[in-house]
């Protein structure tokens, strides 16, 4: 709808201003310029305007020595694209230089001022397309970032829970947790893509400036989840090292304590994501309680660490507990400033 409206409006405005019977450059510019985001529209408009100005100037300079024909078309396009390439312009501009130089060469010799009219038409069409894209139902990709963040946090929590199976003697034999962690890394990349699209959607968008503060908050939360992902990868490696030495098995009592600490920490990740999406007082309180429980479970593990006789196992368990503590630190970072704001 926006593309169709932009093309029609550009045709109407160009016809009214230039008295041109067929201002197709304006309509074509509008169709090409309307993109998913306003920032993309601005980029397309800039590329098209630069390309057509370059093509028109080239045809005007060389058109005096060339008549339209196969040889002149070859040389005009070759020279135009070569100059654009030498100036390191992108492929869109290079193509536009070739197209506009061809059209001006073909029609500009029979009509005075043809090239200037095409430049004005392109500017009109591109400008109208950018305005329409910015002012009529501008894309807001922030909700998609929220959904992606929530999915990411839930997957991070479930991944940490799944890694507890590596502590089971016999039951999880042969498992390494690599596939689960790889899936989490893939989800992190998807979340980053959603974040990049949201940043683009707010750029040059006057009607969505109030969403920028929210996007900054979500960006901070996503970066925290990425740090949590790094800690989960470290936990997986430490658990794999423990499993690689079957003669250094942990006592069942300590395995139970370590599992409880991992499960409690996974709950912190889950509620961290929910609080990032909905920073209500209820969610903040739940997150605080969950963090307190996770710290208690980790303290139990630290207290009974001396019961492990193998130094290698102590090293690996200590690494796991360090990563779990860092995960809690990441979830606490969001919690404290938000609570102070809510209390104020």
């Amino acid at each position: 709808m926006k593309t169709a409206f932009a093309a029609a409006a550009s045709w109407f405005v160009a016809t009214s201003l230039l008295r041109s019977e067929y201002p197709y450059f304006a309509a074509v510019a509008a169709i090409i310029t309307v993109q998913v985001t306003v920032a993309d529209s601005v980029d397309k408009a800039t590329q098209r305007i630069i390309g057509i100005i370059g093509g028109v100037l080239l045809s005007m300079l060389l058109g005096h020595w060339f008549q339209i024909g196969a040889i002149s078309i070859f040389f005009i396009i070759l020279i135009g694209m070569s100059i654009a390439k030498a100036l390191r312009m992108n492929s869109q501009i290079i193509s536009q230089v070739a197209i506009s130089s061809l059209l001006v060469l073909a029609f500009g010799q029979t009509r005075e001022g043809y090239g200037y009219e095409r430049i004005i038409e392109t500017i009109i069409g591109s400008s109208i397309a950018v305005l329409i894209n910015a002012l009529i139902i501008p894309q807001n990709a922030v909700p998609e970032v929220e959904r992606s963040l929530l999915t990411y946090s839930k997957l991070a929590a479930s991944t940490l829970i799944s890694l507890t199976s590596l502590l089971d003697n016999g039951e999880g034999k042969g498992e390494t947790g690599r596939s689960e962690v790889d899936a989490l890394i893939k989800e992190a990349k998807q979340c980053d893509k959603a974040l990049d699209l949201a940043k683009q959607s707010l750029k040059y968008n006057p009607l969505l400036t109030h969403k920028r503060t929210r996007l900054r908050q979500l960006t901070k939360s996503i970066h925290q989840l990425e740090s949590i992902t790094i800690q989960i990868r470290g936990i997986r490696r430490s658990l794999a090292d423990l499993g690689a030495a079957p003669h250094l098995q942990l006592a069942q009592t300590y395995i139970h304590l370590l599992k409880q600490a991992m499960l409690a920490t996974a709950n912190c990740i889950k509620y961290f994501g929910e609080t990032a999406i909905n920073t209500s007082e209820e969610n903040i309180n739940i997150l605080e309680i969950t963090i307190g429980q996770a710290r208690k479970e980790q303290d139990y593990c630290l207290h009974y660490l001396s019961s492990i006789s193998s130094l290698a196992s102590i090293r690996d368990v200590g690494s796991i507990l360090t990563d779990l503590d860092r995960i809690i630190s990441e979830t606490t970072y969001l919690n404290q400033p938000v609570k102070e704001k809510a209390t104020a």
Side-chain angles (χ1 to χ4, degrees):
M1 288 293 293
K2 288 199 285 187
T3 301
F5 181 58
S10 300
W11 185 281
F12 174 77
V13 172
T15 303
S16 302
L17 290 179
L18 302 178
R19 304 297 179 184
S20 176
E21 189 174 357
Y22 300 110
Y24 51 86
F25 265 56
V28 170
I31 293 170
I32 294 174
T33 300
V34 176
Q35 299 292 314
V36 176
T37 66
V38 179
D40 289 337
S41 291
V42 172
D43 289 342
K44 283 289 184 182
T46 303
Q47 292 167 7
R48 186 162 179 82
I49 290 171
I50 293 174
I52 195 169
I53 290 175
V56 168
L57 292 177
L58 180 67
S59 289
M60 291 175 65
L61 288 173
L62 301 181
H64 299 291
W65 293 278
F66 287 102
Q67 294 295 322
I68 184 67
I71 296 177
S72 62
I73 289 174
F74 172 81
F75 280 109
I76 286 289
I77 293 177
L78 177 63
I79 294 170
M81 295 186 74
S82 298
I83 293 173
K85 186 75 173 178
L87 294 175
R88 297 184 178 180
M89 295 181 176
N90 62 39
S91 58
Q92 296 289 335
I93 297 177
I94 294 173
S95 298
Q96 187 56 52
V97 168
I99 294 170
S100 56
S101 60
L102 169 63
L103 292 175
V104 173
L105 178 67
F107 302 108
Q109 294 178 347
T110 59
R111 181 176 171 183
E112 188 177 353
Y114 177 85
Y116 295 116
E117 288 183 7
R118 300 295 78 82
I119 292 175
I120 296 172
E121 285 177 10
T122 300
I123 294 174
I124 290 173
S126 299
S127 301
I128 289 175
V130 171
L131 286 174
I132 288 175
N133 208 18
L135 301 178
I136 299 180
I137 317 177
Q139 187 203 32
N140 176 19
V142 174
E144 180 60 32
V145 177
E146 293 177 337
R147 288 189 291 269
S148 185
L149 188 154
L150 190 59
T151 301
Y152 186 14
S153 64
K154 288 180 178 179
L155 183 60
S158 64
T159 300
L160 184 56
I161 292 172
S162 70
L163 293 180
T164 60
S165 64
L166 302 182
L167 289 167
D168 296 325
N169 296 333
E171 295 179 15
K173 195 172 182 180
E175 295 182 7
T176 62
R178 185 179 296 275
S179 60
E180 290 85 350
V181 172
D182 287 345
L184 181 60
I185 294 171
K186 185 177 179 181
E187 185 61 38
K189 293 178 180 178
Q190 291 297 115
C191 198
D192 280 336
K193 287 182 180 178
L195 183 60
D196 290 339
L197 179 59
K199 289 178 179 178
Q200 282 289 100
S201 71
L202 299 186
K203 196 175 180 181
Y204 308 126
N205 203 326
L207 298 184
L208 295 177
T209 52
H210 61 287
K211 295 290 185 181
R212 290 174 185 168
T213 300
R214 175 58 174 162
L215 187 60
R216 282 195 293 269
Q217 295 170 345
L218 294 173
T219 301
K220 179 181 176 182
S221 298
I222 290 172
H223 289 164
Q224 290 171 251
L225 282 172
E226 288 172 343
S227 296
I228 289 171
T229 300
I230 293 172
Q231 311 312 322
I232 291 176
R233 292 175 66 182
I235 290 171
R236 187 206 69 80
R237 286 193 295 268
S238 297
L239 289 171
D241 291 341
L242 278 173
H247 61 287
L248 299 177
Q249 294 293 343
L250 299 176
Q252 285 299 318
T253 302
Y254 199 86
I255 288 176
H256 175 74
L257 290 176
L258 192 54
K259 277 187 175 181
Q260 291 301 115
M262 291 174 65
L263 293 173
T265 306
N267 281 334
C268 293
I269 302 173
K270 174 188 173 184
Y271 289 115
F272 167 81
E274 294 181 1
T275 306
I277 301 303
N278 180 16
T279 317
S280 65
E281 198 167 336
E282 179 182 1
N283 282 346
I284 292 172
N285 290 333
I286 293 174
L287 180 58
E288 274 193 338
I289 293 170
T290 307
I291 288 173
Q293 183 62 35
R295 289 200 182 280
K296 187 185 297 183
E297 297 294 344
Q298 290 184 25
D299 287 343
Y300 287 150
C301 290
L302 283 172
H303 181 73
Y304 291 102
L305 191 62
S306 58
S307 64
I308 302 175
S309 57
S310 167
L311 292 178
S313 296
I314 291 176
R315 178 198 62 201
D316 292 331
V317 172
S319 177
I320 292 170
L321 292 176
T322 300
D323 287 330
L324 290 175
D325 181 67
R326 287 171 178 165
I327 290 174
I328 289 182
S329 297
E330 292 294 341
T331 60
T332 307
Y333 186 64
L334 167 76
N335 176 42
Q336 192 62 36
V338 172
K339 190 184 179 189
E340 289 175 358
K341 183 178 178 181
T343 305

